[in-house]
Amino acid sequence: MKRLAIFASGTGSNAKRLIDYFSGNKDISVVLLVSNRKEAGALEIARKAGIPAINFTKEEFYNSSTVLEKLIAEKIDFIVLAGFLIRVPDNILKAYENKIINIHPALLPDFGGKGMYGLNVHKAVIESGKSESGITIHLVNEHYDEGRILFQAKCPVLENDTAEMLAARVQELEHNYFPEAVERFIKEKTEG
Ligand code: GRF
């Protein structure tokens, strides 16, 4: 049984999809939810599903080994970032090299990097005049949104799209494809 930790800072709609998708799965189990914001909706979603959910302070993330020790104590095999808005600390990046998966709400390498999250991404895509956007699921390394791309899916950008309208279209792709992409990657990694 591979043990997943989800890191989430926000609403947690992707965390919910992952929890629902893997509940009852005989090979992969979501066993922990970690957040950097105590008001994150994702914490409540995990608790409702009976999954331990812990909020850590920035101090704990960046100036201690508390979070890494918790991951090791829980025998976490893979980490999935589902709207985690701070940088993954170096000690966790090192301990989980090529085992941290992120979803980005645009077609990397475009529209990635610092500040590119939430509606900012969709505003930038609309302003760029691009006719399509989408999602990128990728491995996380020390250079933020630059790890190996595992999967991408596209959707149109329509003439009078607002950032909110595009965000909703992109989020549908996220909910459709993220869990399967995570499962496929873990199976490839563990079946060799
Ligand atoms: C999603 O747009 C995801 O692509 C990005 O953060 C957002 C998380 O949304 N990484 P939610 O909290 O899962 O609803």
Side-chain angles (χ1 to χ4, degrees), residues 10-14 82-83 103-105 171 174:
T11 324
S13 72
N14 278 287
I103 186 164
H104 183 74
Q171 193 142 77
E174 296 175 352

Side-chain angles (χ1 to χ4, degrees), residues 8-18 41-42 45 81-85 102-106 116-119 121-122 134-136 145 167 170-171 174-175 178:
S9 309
T11 324
S13 72
N14 278 287
K16 174 144 181 47
R17 279 289 297 126
L18 289 159
I45 285 170
L81 309 185
F84 189 62
L85 297 184
N102 183 44
I103 186 164
H104 183 74
M116 278 294 154
Y117 59 85
L119 290 180
V121 185
H122 307 300
I135 59 169
T136 303
D145 288 335
V170 169
Q171 193 142 77
E174 296 175 352
H175 294 172
F178 197 15

Side-chain angles (χ1 to χ4, degrees), residues 2-67:
K2 290 302 168 193
R3 297 167 62 84
L4 284 195
I6 296 174
F7 284 27
S9 309
T11 324
S13 72
N14 278 287
K16 174 144 181 47
R17 279 289 297 126
L18 289 159
I19 290 168
D20 293 349
Y21 184 89
F22 288 115
S23 72
N25 187 304
K26 62 179 177 38
D27 303 314
I28 300 170
S29 175
V30 176
V31 297
L32 180 66
L33 188 118
V34 168
S35 187
N36 62 306
R37 288 180 56 236
K38 56 185 177 312
E39 62 279 8
L43 287 163
E44 198 42 42
I45 285 170
R47 288 177 188 137
K48 280 208 181 90
I51 295 169
I54 312 176
N55 168 62
F56 292 99
T57 64
K58 258 209 164 87
E59 189 62 24
E60 287 171 312
F61 270 104
Y62 295 115
N63 300 325
S64 83
S65 54
T66 310
V67 183

Side-chain angles (χ1 to χ4, degrees), residues 70-85:
K70 181 63 182 167
L71 295 172
I72 293 166
E74 294 297 326
K75 299 185 173 47
I76 300 300
D77 298 300
F78 293 90
I79 298 169
V80 180
L81 309 185
F84 189 62
L85 297 184

Side-chain angles (χ1 to χ4, degrees), residues 74-191:
E74 294 297 326
K75 299 185 173 47
I76 300 300
D77 298 300
F78 293 90
I79 298 169
V80 180
L81 309 185
F84 189 62
L85 297 184
I86 60 173
R87 200 183 173 294
V88 177
D90 288 339
N91 62 347
I92 296 176
L93 279 172
K94 275 196 193 66
Y96 285 89
E97 193 177 0
N98 291 327
K99 292 186 173 180
I100 306 175
I101 305 160
N102 183 44
I103 186 164
H104 183 74
L107 297 171
L108 294 176
D110 297 335
F111 306 107
K114 205 127 186 64
M116 278 294 154
Y117 59 85
L119 290 180
N120 304 351
V121 185
H122 307 300
K123 281 189 188 119
V125 169
I126 291 167
E127 273 152 29
S128 75
K130 295 264 186 192
S131 61
E132 58 184 16
S133 189
I135 59 169
T136 303
I137 295 165
H138 63 96
L139 294 183
V140 173
N141 62 26
E142 61 281 17
H143 303 298
Y144 224 63
D145 288 335
E146 290 173 16
R148 178 161 70 91
I149 291 178
L150 301 176
F151 175 82
Q152 290 189 304
K154 294 179 180 177
C155 66
V157 180
L158 304 176
E159 195 56 35
N160 50 11
D161 260 345
T162 61
E164 289 78 3
M165 289 157 81
L166 180 54
R169 201 170 305 127
V170 169
Q171 193 142 77
E172 231 169 282
L173 295 177
E174 296 175 352
H175 294 172
N176 286 344
Y177 292 109
F178 197 15
E180 281 162 24
V182 169
E183 183 176 35
R184 196 169 40 246
F185 173 72
I186 291 174
K187 286 209 156 88
E188 277 161 20
K189 280 291 277 189
T190 45
E191 281 153 16

